[in-house]
Amino acid sequence: MSDASLNASNAASRDAEPQDAGFGDFFSLLKPRVMSLVVFTALVGLLAAPVAIHPVVGFTAILFIAIGGGASGALNMWWDADIDRIMRRTRSRPIPAGRITEGEAFGFGIALSGISVVMLGLATNLVAAGLLAFTIFFYVVIYSMWLKRWTPQNIVIGGAAGAFPPMIGWAAATGGISIESVLMFALIFMWTPPHFWALALFMKSDYDEAGVPMLTSTHGRRVTRNHILVYTLLLVPVSFALAFTSIGGPAYLIAAVLLNALFLRGAWAIWRRDEDAAEADKYATEKKVFKHSLYYLFGLFVAILIDATLRGYGITLQSLWGA
Amino acid sequence: MMAIRKPHEMHRRRFSRNLGLGLVLAAFVALVFGLTIAKVSSDEFSVPKTVSGGSNGQN
């Protein structure tokens, strides 16, 4: 598609009368798939905490953490509406498709941000509410408005926004921040770049046309492969460190050994390949590593939950070593 | 006699939005009620002392 035809279609969608949006259009502004990761990791942070929380208070906390995450997604779509109109992947989103106006998305995002922070503060404590407010600010202002269109390292620093939910869940239960919650944050923070860059290697995206600098196009695919290996190497000690905190245990240690071995082997395989080899098998290795990276994070967080259950029966790493 | 008109697609979308919003508001009311019950029935709950120095209701 030429620039001229792209511009023509953009103008057409801008000038079109906004249609009446259905409930589903507003719900899709919240990026439900991203919300599911937020809910899962926040829930693990909340359940792994050493302080018991009333089920209704816990449910409310998770709900408003999810709504806060969704609100930042709506504000991201409001800010990025111009590039969403250009990229094929995002052109059917409610704003570029003309079902919701930019103003409506902005109002929706701001209102939900305020409601989620206030409700989380009322239901739990100010530390959790403050962390949620900072997460929304970080994703919208630091990532969307500043880093995303400025540096190919956008995903590295911007990944912090997705790393906060377990910290917020932990703070909702305990009222504070600790080494455990910081390490859960660090785990997601270090995991995001290799996970995303593995995807960027096989997804032919039109970020270039939209003017978004991605590592694969600004520095090339060889450099991206190097980055995946280096960030995976840095991820390994962070994930192992969690095993020796109060929320770690035998299940987490076993999961960390297996999943890190798998992820490292994948990163090594990606690093050894060049583009010709990748093209030859249609990026099979990159696709496999991307899939494994999802299992990696899910597996480690499930292991944290299993260890929380085992602790109830007195089974910890210390008890096993002492036996 | 009531006029019979075929509902437009727009009316269907409006209805879904209005119904969704109504259900969300009802769920929000139920949640705040449940949260209030959970808070006031917890051991940590106590009625704040009044500004005039009155009792906290437990003395």
Side-chain angles (χ1 to χ4, degrees):
Chain A
M1 185 182 266
S2 70
D3 285 353
S5 64
L6 268 176
N7 291 337
S9 68
N10 295 342
S13 87
R14 268 195 305 274
D15 297 339
E17 278 290 308
Q19 302 160 12
D20 264 330
F23 185 75
D25 292 316
F26 281 97
F27 186 68
S28 68
L29 276 183
L30 303 178
K31 298 191 176 181
R33 280 197 301 180
V34 178
M35 263 167 72
S36 62
L37 179 71
V38 169
V39 167
F40 174 63
T41 56
L43 185 67
V44 173
L46 188 134
L47 293 177
V51 182
I53 189 167
H54 191 289
V56 175
V57 176
F59 172 78
T60 308
I62 296 298
L63 178 69
F64 285 103
I65 294 169
I67 292 174
S72 64
L75 290 170
N76 168 271
M77 283 203 211
W78 157 70
W79 182 259
D80 278 345
D82 58 335
I83 55 178
D84 283 353
R85 287 190 188 98
I86 296 171
M87 296 196 293
R88 273 177 290 276
R89 181 175 64 86
T90 55
R91 215 176 278 165
S92 60
R93 283 177 175 177
I95 302 174
R99 295 192 299 276
I100 290 179
T101 65
E102 291 178 28
E104 283 173 332
F106 177 73
F108 184 63
I110 288 288
L112 285 189
S113 298
I115 290 169
S116 60
V117 170
V118 169
M119 284 304 296
L120 184 63
L122 288 172
T124 60
N125 55 69
L126 287 179
V127 177
L131 280 171
L132 181 63
F134 183 71
T135 304
I136 297 169
F137 167 80
F138 195 93
Y139 186 64
V140 177
V141 178
I142 306 291
Y143 173 69
S144 303
M145 294 184 177
W146 181 36
L147 295 170
K148 187 173 177 179
R149 304 185 194 206
W150 175 60
T151 167
Q153 298 294 322
N154 45 22
I155 198 67
V156 179
I157 309 161
F164 276 114
M167 235 178 143
I168 305 172
W170 179 276
T174 65
I177 295 168
S178 68
I179 185 69
E180 291 86 354
S181 68
V182 171
L183 281 172
M184 282 191 282
F185 167 89
L187 178 65
I188 304 179
F189 180 70
M190 294 308 298
W191 165 87
T192 305
H195 161 77
F196 183 81
W197 285 325
L199 174 74
L201 281 174
F202 67 83
M203 276 284 284
K204 302 286 182 199
S205 175
D206 32 16
Y207 277 118
D208 287 348
E209 285 179 62
V212 178
M214 299 307 291
L215 194 66
T216 42
S217 52
T218 57
H219 290 70
R221 286 161 175 273
R222 180 69 261 160
V223 173
T224 306
R225 289 173 189 279
N226 297 345
H227 273 62
I228 289 173
L229 181 62
V230 170
Y231 274 88
T232 308
L233 286 169
L234 293 172
L235 170 66
V236 173
V238 173
S239 67
F240 272 105
L242 255 175
F244 304 102
T245 64
S246 71
I247 60 169
Y252 184 89
L253 190 60
I254 293 167
V257 169
L258 295 175
L259 293 168
N260 276 300
L262 203 66
F263 204 2
L264 264 178
R265 197 180 68 168
W268 178 259
I270 284 183
W271 181 74
R272 287 189 61 186
R273 277 152 71 90
D274 57 17
E275 276 311 296
D276 292 339
E279 289 277 0
D281 65 5
K282 298 195 172 89
Y283 295 90
T285 302
E286 288 77 4
K287 286 176 182 170
K288 199 166 76 179
V289 173
F290 174 73
K291 205 165 73 177
H292 284 169
S293 71
L294 290 169
Y295 297 150
Y296 178 91
L297 196 69
F298 183 73
L300 289 181
F301 273 85
V302 165
I304 291 174
L305 279 184
I306 293 171
D307 279 328
T309 311
L310 291 177
R311 264 194 305 282
Y313 297 97
I315 303 170
T316 62
L317 277 180
Q318 287 81 1
S319 71
L320 291 176
W321 280 334
Chain B
M1 190 173 161
M2 216 171 80
I4 299 171
R5 280 187 297 171
K6 193 179 170 190
H8 191 272
E9 164 66 14
M10 179 184 74
H11 295 107
R12 196 188 60 75
R13 279 199 302 268
R14 274 187 195 166
F15 178 75
S16 97
R17 196 175 63 197
N18 294 340
L19 180 69
L21 185 61
L23 291 174
V24 166
L25 287 174
F28 183 68
V29 170
L31 184 73
V32 172
F33 179 72
L35 191 61
T36 307
I37 298 296
K39 288 274 182 188
V40 297
S41 58
S42 96
D43 294 339
E44 295 165 17
F45 179 74
S46 63
V47 178
K49 287 180 179 170
T50 61
V51 178
S52 59
S55 72
N56 65 5
Q58 292 179 335
N59 297 328

